[in-house]
Amino acid sequence: MATLVSQQKAAALFLAISGKNIDTAGLDYYSQKIETSALSLEQVAQKFIAGTASLNGRTASEIVTTIYTSVYGSAPSNQVLTDLLAGNPTTASVVAKVISDLLDYNGFDSTLLTQQTTFETKVEKSLFPVASASATAGAGDVQGIFHVVGLTQTQDGINYWGTVLAQGSKTLAAIAQSFVNSSPLKTLSDSAFVNAIFQNSYERAPTTAESNSYLALLSGGATRGDIVAQVINSLKGTVAAGDTTAQQHFQAATHVYQPGELPALSFQEQAAAVFLAVPGRGIDSSGLDTWSKALFAGKTYAQVITTLINSAESQQKGGQLTGDAFVQHVFTLVHGVAATAQQLATYGALANKTSITQAIINDLRTSVATDAATVTQQHGFEFDIGTSLLYKTAASLTATAAGGNATGTVNTGSSHQISNAETAVLQNVLLNANAASVVNLKFADHLANLTINGTSAATVNLSDNGVNPGVGITVNNGNVILNASSGADAVVVTSTANIATGTGQFNLGAGNDSLKWAGNGVSNGANTVATTIKADGGSGIDSISANFITKSVVTNQNALGIRSSVVTSNANNFSNFEKIDLTGFIGKSVGTLITTPLIGSPTTTSVTTPTHVFDFGLTNGTASVEGTTGGTVTQGAAATNLGSQGFVISGLTNASVINAAGGNAAQLEVKGDATSASTLGFTFVQNATDHFNINFDAVSSSNVNAGAISLTSSSSALLGTALGTVNIASGGTGSFSNIVSLAGTNAQVQNINVTGDHVLNLTLGSGFSNVRDVNASTNTAGLNLDSNHAGTGDGIIVQLLNILPLSAVTTALLTPLLNTLGLNGYQLTVEGTGAADSFNVLGNTTLAGGNGVNTYELKSSTTQAGVTITDFDSAKDKIVDAASALTISGNTSGTAVADYGTRASDTLDALLGTLVGGLTNGVIGLLGGILGLGSSNALTAKVGVASVVFGGTGDNASSYVIIDNNNNHTLDANDSVVYLTGQNHQQLLDTLHYA
């Protein structure tokens, strides 16, 4: 038998397409096919379309319009219809999507929810049919016969005998006699018969008087059917006080249901639990209809369990097992894990299979254990119950005044406190915290989105057993007490929540959580946060918006002009947030100056403080005074574990951090696109750190830009610590590039290391004036470097001279000359990745591109300050020279470079001795002399290559690509010169072309 989940799909498809209720045979067949994936929803839809005569010969547009209208209650708009037909390959797939989209909708659009409810109600009427029209008048009495005789009601029996009774073909007593004749009551003695029907109907033994009365009737010729009819009629009237419960059960048993109507959810959940526990599957529509109604009518849970264990299906699926095997079977299905030896012994000691099954189910469902394992199993079983009953995963709820589970109309249409099973399946919740009570959402292990509205100080408890991966929580209530889940929760406090006067508390528990707030400062004013607003990040690595943290400074100046300041902050209210979120930070400090003269009253004036400045010193006791001279500074106790791992941004940010610290706090995590409009500055306390880390860790499908970041650092002359290294980890999840610009002024940073598995677009500002090396060799994706900073010397001439076999005399002569020519200094060195890189650089830069297909863009490269490429590959790499607007590469569609000849390295020692003595043309003369290009017409082409060859074979050459920018055929300061090491001169000539 297929489950209700599959049956709903089959019934919905048939109803929407054919306009009719599916019959029992069709429901069984197609729901089983769906359940086993033997047929997809599209394939089932195609079969139903083909079998519906009214759809034969109609176009796809007409078919979809007809079915859409049947499902939604109105025709699709032209745009909706166009989108549906364009986005799906077949008419059947469109139809399947139309139906599934509405059945599976789990949002809060009121129109869609109304359409969903209307359509589902129609489907439920086909899944849970009731007495036929002809049987309605007699159905209640026939159901009474089933109840008194002790038989399980069947819809077929109710319809048949109800029609017979309604038409007057037989009396109630005659029909009852037919029931008796086909039941175990037939073989009982009169006395036993009376006892049995009393147990069934009055749920007790008859009194002596009652027994004698009915036995006398039987002795006088009354039939047993007459007795059943009399008992039914007596239960309809007034009964003794002790029989009211029995009468209520009788009334429940004789309730004539409307199409699609079922008993209360508690009865449905009990029935569903048995199906999960014994045959090990979700309940089906017939089982749900039969057994929930039986429980509602007064059958005990044990009676229902006994019947289901003995059913043919259960006997094939575990009900036939005995001893420990049976216990293990039920326990594993209910708990999701095997029973321990102790649990086997405990449950195995019970009287029978029914008591074992009932105990295992009830023990877990009513468990008050707090250990994560048991709680997880309990939540999981409730989730299975709720899923099998098609409980909604989205709900609008309110706090229950008495506390506990929330209240809502979900799944029933009427207000009720939702069950644990209803809670367990929830994914999206709108909660109106309208009472200062505890709202228990702990069973909601699958909750993904929660919005908290209202103004009451409700305590909202989420799943904390370690299953939920994290909830996206929107808080519109500034008074709520939120005990978040043990996953990675993302809490956003909106402007609706009155943080200025609220009493809200945010306890985020385990997981890497975030608490964001856009602030409430206006016109570049400070944020206002009530002292009663508190938060604890709990365990994990958590972040909090800097907007929550306020700062006020009162500076007192006495008559002698001596000042003292007191810094006050609410930072102590926020603990265990390892990262400060600077995204959208609008805060500032509030400054007040109180001046006390020798004569007269003190005057109080407001101090103008800079905007969007966050004082990290509030977290560790190093806060300072802004906007005025503060004198001695007194500060309250430092916060607990606040900002210990630095900062995070995920969107547009224009802020400055002062008194930044070192250690793990000297880092920034980029979790989202801050855009190129962002500017973020860090000013460190003196000697704070020797490094700063920028870690990209976004989940995205588009590029992530951290904007412009400046680092201001200082160190003492004695035993100082300089911020010498910037580490950039270019990571994240998704296919995108990371972008960052190092801006501002910093003369301490010397090394920039780039790691990670995402492309990094790095702009190096000219203010980073002492950077010596950019190393991306361990990045696996690629580096696009745009550098506005360069080295100061040791460039394309010095590098050649350093590898030439020169005598000590020549070297001694060269040293003062190189100083005079301004060629000594340092190079900016760059190591690229193993992937495709691009470098946009200035002269006095040495590049090692790596194994990828690399592009070398030269902003300038001259004899005085040229660019060196140590691993240029003419077969794949290209050089783009800004001065000439030429691209030099292996593309043969361009013009081949010219051959400016070679020099043997071992001949240059004598030549250099001559050049040094008679050098008249500075740097140009030196390089021209080395390469033999010193004459006025030495450059015979626009682009040529000259090389110094080592070893005589040409395989190890230092080559110069020379571009005659002013076309005067003479090597001069206007020309572009690029130095390529480790080349083969002839190979360059054979491959390089320019265009």
Side-chain angles (χ1 to χ4, degrees):
M1 178 71 72
T3 64
L4 181 61
V5 174
S6 298
Q7 288 179 324
Q8 184 199 48
K9 291 183 174 67
L13 284 166
F14 191 82
L15 177 63
I17 294 169
S18 72
K20 303 174 183 177
N21 289 341
I22 195 167
D23 60 29
T24 302
L27 179 65
D28 290 345
Y29 178 81
Y30 285 106
S31 60
Q32 188 66 31
K33 293 295 184 183
I34 293 171
E35 181 106 349
T36 60
S37 298
L39 290 175
S40 67
L41 295 182
E42 178 183 350
Q43 289 171 320
V44 173
Q46 181 57 52
K47 289 181 178 295
F48 290 166
I49 291 171
T52 302
S54 61
L55 300 179
N56 291 343
R58 302 182 69 180
T59 66
S61 177
E62 291 171 335
I63 292 172
V64 171
T65 298
T66 298
I67 296 171
Y68 187 100
T69 303
S70 172
V71 173
Y72 284 87
S74 60
S77 67
N78 290 336
Q79 187 59 56
V80 168
L81 181 60
T82 299
D83 291 344
L84 285 170
L85 294 172
N88 296 276
T90 67
T91 303
S93 66
V94 177
V95 170
K97 174 177 171 55
V98 165
I99 296 167
S100 294
D101 282 354
L102 189 59
L103 286 179
D104 298 337
Y105 178 70
N106 66 344
F108 299 98
D109 182 274
S110 58
T111 300
L112 282 173
L113 288 174
T114 298
Q115 292 169 332
Q116 184 187 58
T117 299
T118 299
F119 181 60
E120 286 181 339
T121 298
K122 294 178 181 178
V123 175
E124 287 165 0
K125 289 178 180 179
S126 70
L127 290 173
F128 306 109
V130 293
S132 60
S134 62
T136 302
D141 281 338
V142 171
Q143 290 171 212
I145 297 174
F146 274 104
H147 182 71
V148 173
V149 174
L151 296 176
T152 300
Q153 295 180 13
T154 65
Q155 196 59 55
D156 289 343
I158 294 171
N159 283 340
Y160 177 79
W161 291 111
T163 301
V164 170
L165 183 59
Q167 292 174 346
S169 302
K170 284 190 177 184
T171 64
L172 179 62
I175 295 172
Q177 186 61 48
S178 296
F179 273 67
V180 171
N181 290 340
S182 60
S183 76
L185 298 179
K186 178 182 179 180
T187 60
L188 299 179
S189 66
D190 286 348
S191 177
F193 167 76
V194 172
N195 284 334
I197 63 172
F198 258 78
Q199 288 293 345
N200 292 337
S201 55
Y202 284 95
E203 300 174 11
R204 62 173 174 79
T207 65
T208 301
E210 289 168 333
S211 179
N212 289 338
S213 173
Y214 283 117
L215 288 174
L217 289 173
L218 288 171
S219 299
T223 67
R224 293 186 174 186
D226 291 328
I227 303 304
V228 171
Q230 284 197 32
V231 169
I232 290 173
N233 288 326
S234 66
L235 285 169
K236 290 179 180 181
T238 303
V239 297
D243 292 330
T244 55
T245 298
Q247 186 181 51
Q248 289 170 358
H249 290 159
F250 172 79
Q251 291 168 344
T254 57
H255 172 72
V256 179
Y257 288 87
Q258 298 300 308
E261 181 187 1
L262 290 172
L265 297 185
S266 58
F267 299 110
Q268 296 181 45
E269 290 179 13
Q270 281 188 300
V274 185
F275 275 80
L276 291 169
V278 184
R281 65 169 174 86
I283 198 167
D284 55 86
S285 59
S286 176
L288 179 58
D289 184 81
T290 299
W291 299 113
S292 65
K293 290 176 179 177
L295 289 164
F296 178 57
K299 277 192 178 294
T300 66
Y301 201 23
Q303 288 174 314
V304 171
I305 291 173
T306 300
T307 304
L308 287 174
I309 287 176
N310 292 326
S311 70
E313 180 187 13
S314 292
Q315 285 298 304
Q316 294 176 353
K317 295 181 176 180
Q320 81 285 5
L321 299 172
T322 58
D324 285 352
F326 180 79
V327 174
Q328 193 66 270
H329 170 74
V330 175
F331 189 96
T332 302
L333 287 175
V334 171
H335 285 257
V337 297
T340 64
Q342 180 59 52
Q343 289 164 332
L344 286 174
T346 299
Y347 289 115
L350 298 177
N352 49 50
K353 293 180 181 181
T354 294
S355 58
I356 290 170
T357 303
Q358 185 170 354
I360 291 174
I361 292 173
N362 288 344
D363 285 353
L364 185 60
R365 296 196 72 192
T366 61
S367 171
V368 293
T370 58
D371 64 284
T374 303
V375 169
T376 298
Q377 292 163 21
Q378 183 186 40
H379 293 185
F381 189 56
E382 295 295 334
F383 173 82
D384 290 341
I385 291 171
T387 299
S388 71
L389 291 173
L390 301 176
Y391 282 170
K392 295 299 181 185
T393 60
S396 294
L397 305 172
T398 62
T400 303
N405 290 358
T407 294
T409 60
V410 65
N411 301 312
T412 67
S414 58
S415 181
H416 65 287
Q417 187 169 15
I418 65 173
S419 69
N420 291 338
E422 289 180 280
T423 304
V425 302
L426 290 174
Q427 297 176 14
N428 302 305
V429 171
L430 293 179
L431 176 65
N432 182 18
N434 59 336
S437 58
V438 175
V439 181
N440 181 22
L441 291 173
K442 285 194 171 187
F443 275 79
D445 286 353
H446 303 274
L447 186 64
N449 300 290
L450 169 65
T451 298
I452 303 175
N453 298 317
T455 58
S456 297
T459 299
V460 180
N461 296 326
L462 304 187
S463 167
D464 60 359
N465 54 306
V467 173
N468 192 304
V471 184
I473 306 170
T474 301
V475 179
N476 298 315
N477 180 337
N479 298 314
V480 72
I481 301 170
L482 173 65
N483 296 315
S485 83
S486 49
D489 301 309
V491 183
V492 177
V493 180
T494 72
S495 59
T496 303
N498 193 349
I499 295 302
T501 60
T503 58
Q505 298 181 35
F506 305 93
N507 303 308
L508 304 191
N512 301 330
D513 310 302
S514 63
L515 179 61
K516 297 183 178 182
W517 179 50
N520 58 11
V522 295
S523 302
N524 287 319
N527 292 313
T528 303
V529 180
T531 57
T532 44
I533 297 291
K534 299 181 179 181
D536 187 338
S539 59
I541 301 174
D542 311 297
S543 66
I544 186 172
S545 171
N547 284 314
F548 277 107
I549 302 169
T550 61
K551 175 186 177 183
S552 62
V553 180
V554 176
T555 301
N556 285 279
Q557 178 177 294
N558 64 20
L560 299 177
I562 299 173
R563 292 187 173 190
S564 62
S565 297
V566 175
V567 176
T568 303
S569 174
N570 65 350
N572 264 341
N573 287 345
F574 308 105
S575 58
N576 298 314
F577 288 96
E578 290 75 12
K579 295 186 179 183
I580 307 296
D581 190 346
L582 297 170
T583 307
F585 176 63
I586 61 172
K588 60 177 291 187
S589 67
V590 176
T592 303
L593 175 61
I594 302 175
T595 304
T596 304
L598 283 173
I599 300 174
S601 301
T603 60
T604 301
T605 57
S606 296
V607 176
T608 301
T609 56
T611 60
H612 304 178
V613 173
F614 177 77
D615 191 344
F616 189 76
L618 298 173
T619 72
N620 59 17
T622 62
S624 58
V625 178
E626 304 146 74
T628 186
T629 302
T632 60
V633 178
T634 302
Q635 181 179 347
T640 303
N641 194 25
L642 183 62
S644 60
Q645 296 191 36
F647 306 89
V648 62
I649 57 173
S650 58
L652 180 64
T653 305
N654 291 291
S656 297
V657 176
I658 61 174
N659 298 314
N664 290 332
Q667 62 179 320
L668 171 69
E669 183 180 12
V670 184
K671 295 188 73 65
D673 183 25
T675 77
S676 61
S678 287
T679 58
L680 189 56
F682 295 90
T683 300
F684 295 85
V685 296
Q686 191 177 57
N687 301 321
T689 182
D690 62 358
H691 72 279
F692 186 77
N693 299 336
I694 302 172
N695 305 315
F696 286 89
D697 189 28
V699 177
S700 181
S701 58
S702 57
N703 290 349
V704 173
N705 196 329
I709 296 175
S710 62
L711 306 172
T712 302
S713 58
S714 62
S715 55
S716 57
L718 182 63
L719 301 177
T721 298
L723 199 169
T725 301
V726 175
N727 300 308
I728 305 175
S730 183
T733 301
S735 179
F736 59 90
S737 298
N738 293 312
I739 306 168
V740 65
S741 174
L742 295 180
T745 300
N746 187 296
Q748 291 193 324
V749 174
Q750 293 193 15
N751 301 295
I752 299 173
N753 299 316
V754 179
T755 60
D757 56 6
H758 279 61
V759 173
L760 178 69
N761 298 334
L762 171 64
T763 298
L764 179 61
S766 60
F768 277 72
S769 57
N770 201 28
V771 172
R772 307 299 179 90
D773 182 55
V774 178
N775 190 337
S777 59
T778 61
N779 178 281
T780 59
L783 172 68
N784 298 320
L785 173 67
D786 183 358
S787 178
N788 294 304
H789 159 71
T792 59
D794 281 355
I796 64 174
I797 295 178
V798 176
Q799 290 172 16
L800 173 64
L801 294 176
N802 285 339
I803 62 174
L804 288 175
L806 301 179
S807 65
V809 173
T810 303
T811 301
L813 292 172
L814 282 172
T815 300
L817 175 64
L818 296 178
N819 286 330
T820 300
L821 295 177
L823 294 178
N824 284 327
Y826 71 84
Q827 284 281 291
L828 168 64
T829 59
V830 180
E831 293 82 40
T833 75
D837 301 319
S838 68
F839 309 93
N840 194 352
V841 296
L842 295 163
N844 279 327
T845 301
T846 296
L847 302 169
N851 295 327
V853 177
N854 301 314
T855 299
Y856 301 92
E857 299 183 49
L858 314 180
K859 297 181 180 182
S860 67
S861 183
T862 65
T863 52
Q864 180 73 39
V867 172
T868 299
I869 305 174
T870 63
D871 59 352
F872 183 78
D873 186 338
S874 60
K876 62 180 179 65
D877 298 337
K878 65 181 178 181
I879 298 170
V880 180
D881 177 53
S884 62
L886 293 180
T887 296
I888 302 168
S889 68
N891 188 338
T892 56
S893 65
T895 304
V897 300
D899 183 1
Y900 288 161
T902 62
R903 292 273 197 174
S905 62
D906 56 5
T907 65
L908 290 179
D909 184 66
L911 175 62
L912 283 170
T914 303
L915 285 174
V916 169
L919 188 64
T920 59
N921 195 19
V923 175
I924 300 298
L926 180 58
L927 182 61
I930 291 173
L931 300 178
L933 300 175
S935 64
S936 59
N937 291 302
L939 305 184
T940 58
K942 182 67 176 178
V943 182
V945 177
S947 300
V948 175
V949 178
F950 294 82
T953 64
D955 286 334
N956 183 17
S958 290
S959 303
Y960 293 84
V961 177
I962 302 170
I963 304 173
D964 186 8
N965 287 331
N966 54 10
N967 298 313
N968 66 354
H969 306 294
T970 301
L971 181 64
D972 56 37
N974 295 313
D975 296 335
S976 297
V977 181
V978 189
Y979 182 47
L980 310 179
T981 65
Q983 299 295 315
N984 179 289
H985 180 76
Q986 188 59 48
Q987 184 179 6
L988 291 178
L989 297 178
D990 292 341
T991 56
L992 288 184
H993 297 72
Y994 64 92

